[in-house]
Amino acid sequence: MTIAPERPVAPGGTGPNLRAPTVGERRRSPGQLRATDVYAMLGAAAAALSLTALMFTRLLPFSGTVGFVVVAYVLFLALYGLLVSFDEDGPAVRDRIAAVVVQSLGLVMVTALAVVVIYTLWEGRKALPHLNFFTQDMAEAGPLDPLTAGGILHAILGTLQQITIALAITVPTGLLCAVFLNEVPGRFARFVRTVVEAMTALPSIVAGLFIYATIILALGFDRSGFAASLALSVMMLPIIIRAADVVIRLVPGNLREAAYALGTSRWRTVWHVVLPTARSGLTTSVILGTARGVGETSPVLLTAGFTAEINGNPFEGPQLSLPLATFEFVKSPEPTMIARGFGTAAALMALVLLLFVIARVIGGRGPGQLTRRQEHRRVRASRQDAERFAARTSAAASAPRTPAAASGPGANSPTAQPSPPRTPRRSAP
Amino acid sequence: MPRRLYADPGLPDRVFRGVARGGGGLVLAVMLLVGGFLLYRAWQALSRAGWSFLTTEAWEPDAGRFGIAAVLVGTVLIALVAIVVAVPLAVGGALYISEYAPPRLRQTLIGVVDLMAAVPSVVYGLWGLFFFEGQILPTARWIATYLSWIPIFEVAGADPNDPLAPETVYTSSTLIAGVVVALMVAPIACSVMREVFSQAPVGEREGAFALGATRWGMISSVVLPFGKGGMIGGTMLGLGRALGETIGVYLIISPVFEIQWHVLQSGSSSVAALIALRYGEASEFGMSALMAAGFALFLMTLVVNFAASSIVARSRSGAASE
């Protein structure tokens, strides 16, 4: 087996292959499952299950699902090792057992998520089918009312308003700060980066406590949606700055240098080269920060207050949000309230999932990597520029010779030059 | 890293740099304000309590008896349980994704782990409160019955000889809260570790295979040593998150204000849950005491986070990626 490049570079070079972790080297997948391994695994599984069942039902005073699974798993490992050791040597036995342990841990990880999500949706099935759950608030519905009355419209509205305000604060500030960290390097930038990294450690409840103590206790404002979004902003700001900082740092230096070499000023380089190149990564980091902020309960708990009615004004009066509503619902002992809590949690999960899917669709591409449509647009713009230059030079100098740029703009791989045509237009004579 | 430019940038650029500097300064000001204000407000309580703030177990600020000994021990215990559960999960998950999973599945799995980190903590709390607690009780009881000679597994008030004894002594325990927090922490640690594992140099991997190593032999001699910094760093990052977790813990534990070492026994406490529990009824001095507790928590997570990032930065991990 030879080591070939992971992605064979196409002749002519289609865009920078930035995401590949090790350019030119490819990792092989050494594992090959043989028939004897499968037999040993099946045999060990059967033996472990029957032994455990025997222990739990006949021999020993054990009970409980968790205990059953743990005992069966340990027995399986021991038996599998024994079976493999009949025809393999020591290192191979260790290899097989390690493979089983690692793969089962990976499986547990994925299963845990599946169980949490599916359990929430399953428990939410009682509240979710009622349409009024999404179109009414809880003003008319008491804890004893059936699920056909009342809903979480007020919480949905509150969540949307609070996260919008928080984003309006954090996105400009966060991106500006991330640009600052990368484009104005120096001792001050290093200090700011250290402080921002430290603040990602800020427990979310402390962010809530800070806003509670300043805005509500010291300045004397009421609890409101605005205070909640301030608390969310304090919590989200370091997260967004840190993620955006990493993304901007990945913008290849030669793009910047090329822009400088063309005589572009620094802020134009940032505006026309750095930010467009990092756009998909920046969007992803903002959306993931939003997903964190939407689900955070503790800062909101201290600052938003509690209400059962729709409050469309975030600046006055208490305002509920989805995680806070979940929390308040499940504190009640009534089964209908708990069902509502799970319904709210399911709605919240759906919102986070949606944000996540959007982030995946937009993001997942390295800086400078374009979708097909973006690539086409760049090619078209580049071709138009070339035609324009050609027309201008022929008109101005009335030279019969066409410039070389007009001959083949497609072959010059315009994807590698995301700097838009505006700069050359200004600098053209 | 962009290099520093020395040419005169002209007016627009000077404005741009001024604005950028201003943005950085603003963020810096907000961040320092949070820390400074916490300390300022906490000072009233801290100066009254003195060192007894660290040694008192009770939390009665208005009676003058308050301290974080109990809640701090509770916080650390919950975080430790969470780390003990989460680290094997995270290492296993990261190794699986970077070494064992079929390449086609890898991107999906990375997405799943990232999604797990984005699931709201209140959802994990609900799962722990209504589902997991019921599942774990027989196991908790089994551990308490057969392993109670280990001091932390002791449960006061449990009678192992009475098969019909109520199981309420095992509910709302540190263990349950710890496992719930572990589920929140594991994906964070996992994604740091996966990142580092996948950067282990291909040449060294091939070298190990060429010397006849099995896959596990290769992992234990190349990938794990290479990723050691990332493993420690990811663990500490998770620890920082676990220390500050509020809602998941608040929903599950029943708060007690005495040092409670028994992880299986009902009753536990954490700083974050204390703040969520007491902020509403606090007097001005009580608020100051809560601020002091929050400040102590912040300091703890700060130290853990700094240690994590310096370990990650100093390790060899990632050296081959440049």
Side-chain angles (χ1 to χ4, degrees):
Chain A
M1 218 183 267
T2 52
I3 305 170
E6 180 162 25
R7 272 181 238 164
V9 180
T14 51
N17 192 4
L18 297 162
R19 265 299 164 94
T22 47
V23 180
E25 287 178 322
R26 186 182 62 101
R27 270 176 50 197
R28 292 185 296 119
S29 161
Q32 269 151 358
L33 206 61
R34 290 178 305 185
T36 46
D37 294 342
V38 179
Y39 298 150
M41 215 174 275
L42 287 179
L49 277 180
S50 9
L51 260 179
T52 321
L54 193 67
M55 275 162 73
F56 270 65
T57 52
R58 296 273 184 274
L59 299 179
L60 295 167
F62 296 155
S63 67
T65 333
V66 179
F68 186 91
V69 173
V70 170
V71 172
Y73 183 68
V74 172
L75 276 177
F76 170 73
L77 279 188
L79 288 169
Y80 181 63
L82 185 72
L83 285 182
V84 172
S85 73
F86 286 148
D87 39 31
E88 302 278 0
D89 55 353
V93 174
R94 276 200 292 281
D95 176 54
R96 298 294 146 75
I97 292 183
V100 168
V101 170
V102 166
Q103 301 201 8
S104 46
L105 282 174
L107 191 71
V108 169
M109 193 81 180
V110 177
T111 322
L113 175 75
V115 167
V116 170
V117 171
I118 291 172
Y119 177 73
T120 311
L121 294 179
W122 177 249
E123 289 291 319
R125 77 191 183 283
K126 291 172 207 147
L128 288 178
H130 302 287
L131 196 62
N132 60 299
F133 191 64
F134 298 102
T135 56
Q136 293 179 6
D137 60 10
M138 289 297 289
E140 314 269 300
L144 293 175
D145 280 331
L147 288 169
T148 47
I152 53 165
L153 183 63
H154 55 318
I156 296 177
L157 190 72
T159 285
L160 292 182
Q161 281 189 352
Q162 287 169 17
I163 203 71
T164 311
I165 298 176
L167 281 178
I169 298 172
T170 47
V171 169
T173 332
L175 292 190
L176 186 65
C177 184
V179 165
F180 163 72
L181 292 180
N182 279 285
E183 301 298 326
V184 194
R187 205 173 296 161
F188 183 51
R190 268 205 302 279
F191 178 61
V192 173
R193 182 175 282 143
T194 315
V195 171
V196 167
E197 270 180 23
M199 291 312 277
T200 48
L202 185 76
S204 54
I205 186 99
V206 176
L209 194 64
F210 168 69
I211 295 296
Y212 181 71
T214 47
I215 305 287
I216 294 168
L217 291 186
L219 297 181
F221 289 102
D222 277 339
R223 292 182 188 186
S224 64
F226 185 65
S229 28
L230 283 182
L232 286 179
S233 306
V234 171
M235 194 212 83
M236 281 163 61
L237 196 54
I239 299 176
I240 288 185
I241 293 176
R242 210 172 168 182
D245 179 31
V246 171
V247 172
I248 292 182
R249 215 182 303 171
L250 283 178
V251 172
N254 53 10
L255 285 183
R256 269 197 204 97
E257 294 292 333
Y260 291 147
L262 286 170
T264 321
S265 68
R266 227 164 294 170
W267 77 270
R268 277 188 177 281
T269 310
V270 169
W271 189 251
H272 290 311
V273 177
V274 175
L275 289 183
T277 310
R279 192 193 287 147
S280 105
L282 289 178
T283 319
T284 314
S285 65
V286 167
I287 293 177
L288 293 184
T290 315
R292 269 293 297 281
V294 160
E296 204 56 70
T297 320
S298 33
V300 183
L301 174 70
L302 272 64
T303 48
F306 178 76
T307 176
E309 293 172 24
I310 287 189
N311 177 7
N313 182 2
F315 297 97
E316 209 170 4
Q319 194 182 43
L320 211 58
S321 63
L322 282 173
L324 189 55
T326 311
F327 180 68
E328 299 287 348
F329 279 139
V330 298
K331 277 205 303 195
S332 157
E334 291 298 325
T336 52
M337 287 306 251
I338 291 176
R340 283 193 185 104
F342 273 105
T344 318
L348 181 62
M349 272 299 313
L351 185 62
V352 171
L353 263 175
L354 181 75
L355 284 172
F356 208 79
V357 169
I358 294 175
R360 282 281 138 192
V361 170
I362 295 177
R365 287 193 305 277
Q369 285 181 313
L370 304 174
T371 57
R372 280 201 89 84
R373 188 181 297 176
Q374 284 171 320
E375 212 164 300
H376 276 301
R377 216 178 294 150
R378 292 287 160 81
V379 171
R380 217 178 309 133
S382 173
R383 213 167 268 162
Q384 274 171 4
D385 278 343
E387 278 165 17
R388 204 162 43 79
F389 290 163
R392 184 175 292 187
T393 30
S394 59
S398 65
R401 193 167 54 88
T402 19
S407 61
N412 282 349
S413 169
T415 53
Q417 307 155 7
S419 92
R422 216 165 290 151
T423 321
R425 192 183 298 157
R426 294 276 161 80
S427 59
Chain B
M1 204 62 215
R3 73 200 160 88
R4 199 163 187 168
L5 302 175
Y6 292 98
D8 175 39
L11 183 66
D13 264 9
R14 256 178 256 149
V15 172
F16 161 71
R17 285 175 61 155
V19 170
R21 236 175 246 280
L26 179 73
V27 169
L28 184 70
V30 170
M31 299 295 151
L32 291 181
L33 192 68
V34 175
F37 188 82
L38 272 181
L39 182 61
Y40 168 72
R41 286 296 304 265
W43 195 250
Q44 193 190 358
L46 281 178
S47 58
R48 173 97 64 93
W51 287 110
S52 72
F53 185 66
L54 292 177
T55 53
T56 311
E57 294 178 22
W59 190 266
E60 291 148 13
D62 296 323
R65 284 178 59 245
F66 64 98
I68 51 171
V71 283
L72 214 55
V73 169
T75 310
V76 172
L77 269 183
I78 291 175
L80 284 184
V81 171
I83 285 302
V84 166
V85 177
V87 164
L89 264 184
V91 175
L95 275 182
Y96 177 70
I97 292 175
S98 87
E99 307 298 325
Y100 286 91
R104 233 173 301 139
L105 212 64
R106 210 166 277 160
Q107 275 306 321
T108 319
L109 286 173
I110 292 174
V112 165
V113 170
D114 285 349
L115 177 62
M116 229 177 131
V119 169
S121 53
V122 70
V123 173
Y124 283 115
L126 286 190
W127 176 81
L129 182 62
F130 291 101
F131 178 80
F132 182 68
E133 199 170 67
Q135 303 294 316
I136 196 74
L137 285 186
T139 312
R141 183 195 191 124
W142 186 88
I143 299 174
T145 310
Y146 293 98
L147 296 175
S148 60
W149 45 272
I150 303 174
I152 60 165
F153 290 142
E154 205 182 304
V155 174
D159 182 7
N161 297 322
D162 178 9
L164 296 176
E167 287 182 325
T168 46
V169 285
Y170 304 113
T171 57
S172 310
S173 65
T174 307
L175 177 77
I176 300 170
V179 172
V180 168
V181 174
L183 280 191
M184 303 178 203
V185 163
I188 298 169
C190 180
S191 59
V192 174
M193 293 179 191
R194 175 190 56 76
E195 197 76 43
V196 177
F197 288 158
S198 62
Q199 283 169 358
V202 178
E204 286 176 34
R205 290 168 190 268
E206 290 295 329
F209 283 136
L211 289 172
T214 56
R215 172 142 54 173
W216 177 249
M218 186 277 287
I219 291 174
S220 60
S221 62
V222 175
V223 178
L224 291 182
F226 181 85
K228 201 172 18 166
M231 280 165 70
I232 298 173
T235 306
M236 296 189 80
L237 215 60
L239 183 65
R241 181 86 194 275
L243 288 170
E245 178 47 44
T246 313
I247 290 299
V249 174
Y250 180 90
L251 278 173
I252 285 167
I253 62 170
S254 55
V256 290
F257 291 101
E258 55 190 29
I259 293 181
Q260 222 266 66
W261 292 103
H262 311 313
V263 295
L264 296 174
Q265 190 178 324
S266 178
S268 178
S269 50
S270 92
V271 177
L274 166 79
I275 296 173
L277 189 68
R278 291 293 174 86
Y279 81 99
E281 65 207 32
S283 62
E284 193 174 330
F285 184 73
M287 206 59 214
S288 170
L290 284 180
M291 289 278 179
F295 189 71
L297 177 65
F298 178 42
L299 278 189
M300 211 155 60
T301 51
L302 200 65
V303 168
V304 169
N305 241 35
F306 262 124
S309 56
S310 72
I311 288 174
V312 174
R314 221 184 288 168
S315 68
R316 205 197 128 202
S317 306
S321 69
E322 294 293 322

